[in-house]
Amino acid sequence: MPAPPRIAWGLTGSGHFLRESLDIIDGLPDVDLFLTRAAAEVLSMYGVPLKVLREKHRIYQDHTASSVPVGFLYGGHYHTLIIGPATSNTVAKCVAGISDTLVTNLYAQAGKCRIPSIVFACDCEPTVVTEAPGGSVTLYPRPIDLENTARLKTFPLTTVAENIAGLQAAIAARLACLSTSCS
Ligand SMILES: Cc1cc2nc3c(=O)[nH]c(=O)nc-3n(C[C@H](O)[C@H](O)[C@H](O)COP(=O)(O)O)c2cc1C
């Protein structure tokens, strides 16, 4: 019997609600993690060793030019892609159709495979208070960042979450959908 499809979760180099996102991952079954190069660095800066994440999850890192692990999407291994937290860089690339990192490649290929994506975007408000490694900082996303988030909301098969509650609600809705007839 083939293994049932899982969640592919893309982690990017964002510290914004990183711990809260990891808590959500912790509470979900069957999640594989896909890291950008920046994500691997930032996780370590926030004191989250990959070794610990590996105890519960398969982890794929961005070590290849062609994003080899993205091939799993073609084989039906994943029912949903979640990207969170998503940096302004990753959101901008997704909106522009650029796929030159493991996570932007996942987004592009999920779209081509008609696999729904949920993106928890960092830049949704003109002012955000975020946790940096040294403590809280207030940031002011640029108009281009807010515009990219707004544009991503119009993309097919894409749900953009603006906060942790929105991310939880989007995941719950997707899992409920999978447990009924829609896929
Ligand atoms: C400690 C730390 C925290 C960061 N947090 C954020 C963030 O919350 N949002 C963001 O857009 N970029 C953040 N960055 C910058 C990104 O990591 C950087 O733009 C990187 O190129 C993103 O690459 P990726 O989108 O491929 O993961 C952070 C960088 C560092 C060092």
Side-chain angles (χ1 to χ4, degrees):
M1 284 285 284
R6 303 161 62 81
I7 294 172
W9 191 300
L11 285 171
T12 67
S14 165
H16 188 60
F17 289 112
L18 174 62
R19 290 183 204 288
E20 292 81 353
S21 299
L22 293 173
D23 286 345
I24 292 176
I25 292 170
D26 216 30
L28 289 170
D30 307 328
V31 179
D32 294 346
L33 301 179
F34 295 75
L35 275 53
T36 64
R37 292 173 59 215
E41 290 177 5
V42 166
L43 279 167
S44 126
M45 286 180 217
Y46 283 78
V48 182
L50 287 191
K51 209 173 96 182
V52 171
L53 293 178
R54 266 204 192 92
E55 286 165 12
K56 279 194 73 177
H57 306 280
R58 287 179 208 149
I59 296 189
Y60 299 99
Q61 288 188 251
D62 208 344
H63 290 320
T64 59
S66 56
S67 291
V68 173
V70 162
F72 294 131
L73 290 180
Y74 309 142
H77 291 57
Y78 298 104
H79 56 68
T80 308
L81 168 66
I82 302 174
I83 304 176
T87 58
S88 40
N89 177 61
T90 288
V91 170
K93 287 180 178 179
C94 290
V95 166
I98 294 171
S99 45
D100 65 353
T101 67
L102 184 53
V103 171
T104 52
N105 245 307
L106 279 174
Y107 180 73
Q109 299 307 317
K112 292 180 187 183
C113 295
R114 298 200 172 151
I115 296 169
S117 294
I118 297 168
V119 182
F120 173 33
C122 295
D123 298 326
C124 299
E125 310 264 358
T127 307
V128 293
V129 179
T130 192
E131 195 207 331
S136 278
V137 286
T138 302
L139 297 175
Y140 306 95
R142 304 162 301 172
I144 186 67
D145 301 321
L146 299 173
E147 198 181 305
N148 283 332
T149 301
R151 282 193 64 196
L152 193 62
K153 287 182 188 170
T154 68
F155 278 39
L157 288 169
T158 302
T159 303
V160 175
E162 299 199 341
N163 49 45
I164 286 291
L167 176 60
Q168 285 169 319
I171 295 170
R174 176 65 184 145
L175 295 181
C177 179
L178 285 165
S179 68
T180 58
S181 56
C182 58
S183 62

